[in-house]
Amino acid sequence: MNTKISIIIPIYNSSKTLNECISCILAQSYTSFELILVDDGSTDNSGEICDLYAKTDPRIIVIHKVNEGVSIARNTGIKRSTGKYITFIDSDDNVSTNYLLNLIEIHEKLNAELTISGFVKRNQGIDKPHYIDYNGIVDIETIGSILNNNIISVPFAKIFNSDIIKTNRIIFPNGISRGEDTIFVLEYLLHIDKIALLPEYNYFYITTENSLMTKLNSVSSELSCYNMLNRLCNNIIKKYNLKKEASTFLIKMQLDAFERVIRAILIIPNRNERIGLLNYLDYSYYLRHKKSNTWKESILTIILRLRLFRIYDLLMTKHA
């Protein structure tokens, strides 16, 4: 087995973690890979670190570009890639020695179009495994286990078929500041039928308490994210003919994304602008699926259903 895998790492000011990340990739037991390091306009010495490694190993390709964000950096890596398969690793994460080997073995053995591995979320020395206790090709009975697990919302700990990505022009969307990872994976799912699961977790996702997911972006960015997620989630539910219990996580993603749009509107200083934007939104999907857990949520939902946006704005901004 010597099928080449393209490993794509977007890099921006990652000098503190980059050496460890690259070192664990070069230590892989599976050696037939190209490592594409996309330096996205780093202002520290990340670019120099990349260049030094490239001089020591012909499998390393370095791309230096102006800073345009992680989505364009990954897309740039995809365009440059020549491997039959593509996998993504973040510059502050680590993988165990057999990470690639374990993924490629099951991927090729089962002729899969996507293989998903478990991973470990590491926060301040505390490890939390994320995996699905199943090994092999997913069928209609187990697809819900994937879609109801946040393991589906990240591009790492997976192997993708390069031809499927490039033929269908699947990219990480530009112009949105969150959710681009999930959108890429969901778009890929719409074009495949054979998904393999590997319960082992050899990918270590390093995170901190200060997550970007809690930071609100512009209304247009949040709305773009919601519209994309809404389309993809609904299409996946139709593609796999998912029952309600199997689509819980997909529906929750849509509701969370819609609520972020509302919160982004409510922080706009001008009240007339806030009310105008609230009036612009389509609440049909949200109101159909939203379950109120408290009396306050129930009242706010009724107010939205009656389209009493001035009252809604008054209540939400007064107590924000």
Side-chain angles (χ1 to χ4, degrees):
M1 184 191 301
N2 58 0
T3 307
K4 186 161 70 174
I5 303 172
S6 296
I7 306 168
I8 298 173
I9 303 182
I11 297 163
Y12 180 72
N13 291 351
S14 305
S15 59
K16 293 181 180 180
T17 60
L18 194 53
N19 281 298
E20 186 176 359
C21 179
I22 295 176
S23 295
C24 70
I25 293 170
L26 297 181
Q28 289 297 295
S29 56
Y30 187 87
T31 59
S32 183
F33 63 80
E34 63 178 4
L35 175 57
I36 304 175
L37 305 173
V38 185
D39 172 26
D40 189 35
S42 296
T43 56
D44 63 2
N45 65 332
S46 293
E48 297 172 12
I49 294 173
C50 293
D51 290 336
L52 287 173
Y53 274 104
K55 291 178 181 178
T56 67
D57 196 314
R59 296 173 297 177
I60 299 178
I61 300 161
V62 180
I63 301 173
H64 297 286
K65 59 182 291 300
V66 298
N67 179 251
E68 295 177 288
V70 66
S71 288
I72 294 181
R74 287 193 180 119
N75 293 338
T76 300
I78 291 171
K79 289 179 182 178
R80 178 63 178 80
S81 66
T82 61
K84 184 176 180 180
Y85 306 121
I86 290 176
T87 190
F88 300 96
I89 296 177
D90 287 347
S91 60
D92 51 356
D93 295 343
N94 305 141
V95 293
S96 63
T97 304
N98 291 325
Y99 173 69
L100 291 179
L101 180 63
N102 290 342
L103 276 175
I104 195 68
E105 278 186 341
I106 187 172
H107 192 80
E108 295 207 320
K109 178 182 178 181
L110 300 177
N111 195 28
E113 295 166 305
L114 171 67
T115 295
I116 303 173
S117 168
F119 65 91
V120 172
K121 186 176 182 180
R122 178 169 291 170
N123 187 306
Q124 298 179 347
I126 299 175
D127 288 352
K128 182 180 180 181
H130 290 258
Y131 68 99
I132 299 171
D133 192 13
Y134 180 87
N135 196 319
I137 289 291
V138 173
D139 56 26
I140 196 64
E141 299 298 324
T142 53
I143 187 68
S145 298
I146 296 178
L147 298 176
N148 278 336
N149 190 308
N150 64 2
I151 202 169
I152 200 64
S153 63
V154 293
F156 55 75
K158 297 173 179 64
I159 278 190
F160 303 85
N161 286 12
S162 178
D163 62 332
I164 293 175
I165 292 176
K166 293 179 179 181
T167 300
N168 295 287
R169 299 180 180 179
I170 302 171
I171 62 171
F172 290 86
N174 187 30
I176 66 172
S177 303
R178 62 172 292 276
E180 69 279 355
D181 292 356
T182 305
I183 289 167
F184 178 88
V185 178
L186 294 179
E187 185 72 55
Y188 187 86
L189 282 177
L190 286 177
H191 297 281
I192 64 172
D193 296 304
K194 295 188 72 174
I195 305 168
L197 281 180
L198 179 67
E200 297 180 28
Y201 35 89
N202 294 311
Y203 189 104
F204 297 88
Y205 171 55
I206 315 300
T207 185
T208 61
E209 292 296 337
N210 298 320
S211 172
L212 289 176
M213 296 297 286
T214 61
K215 180 183 176 183
L216 288 173
N217 301 293
S218 68
V219 174
S220 61
S221 176
E222 297 291 353
L223 186 57
S224 293
C225 178
Y226 167 71
N227 287 334
M228 290 182 195
L229 282 175
N230 189 52
R231 173 183 65 84
L232 290 168
C233 290
N234 288 337
N235 285 341
I236 287 174
I237 290 171
K238 292 176 183 177
K239 173 183 172 71
Y240 294 103
N241 193 26
L242 297 177
K243 304 300 181 183
K244 185 177 180 180
E245 59 273 11
S247 55
T248 302
F249 186 72
L250 296 178
I251 293 172
K252 184 178 184 302
M253 277 200 298
Q254 295 174 78
L255 297 182
D256 288 347
F258 190 79
E259 288 176 350
R260 286 181 63 93
V261 176
I262 293 176
R263 295 205 305 274
I265 290 174
L266 292 173
I267 62 175
I268 294 174
N270 186 284
R271 186 168 191 246
N272 288 332
E273 184 180 355
R274 293 198 305 268
I275 293 170
L277 288 170
L278 288 172
N279 187 61
Y280 165 81
L281 297 180
D282 180 359
Y283 296 87
S284 55
Y285 186 89
Y286 180 76
L287 292 174
R288 188 164 65 250
H289 293 280
K290 174 66 176 177
K291 292 183 178 179
S292 300
N293 297 316
T294 66
W295 65 268
K296 180 181 178 181
E297 288 182 349
S298 298
I299 291 173
L300 290 172
T301 301
I302 292 171
I303 291 172
L304 287 178
R305 195 179 300 277
L306 296 174
R307 302 186 68 82
L308 302 174
F309 299 122
R310 290 190 175 275
I311 296 175
Y312 184 85
D313 175 77
L314 181 66
L315 290 173
M316 294 300 290
T317 54
K318 181 179 180 181
H319 299 289

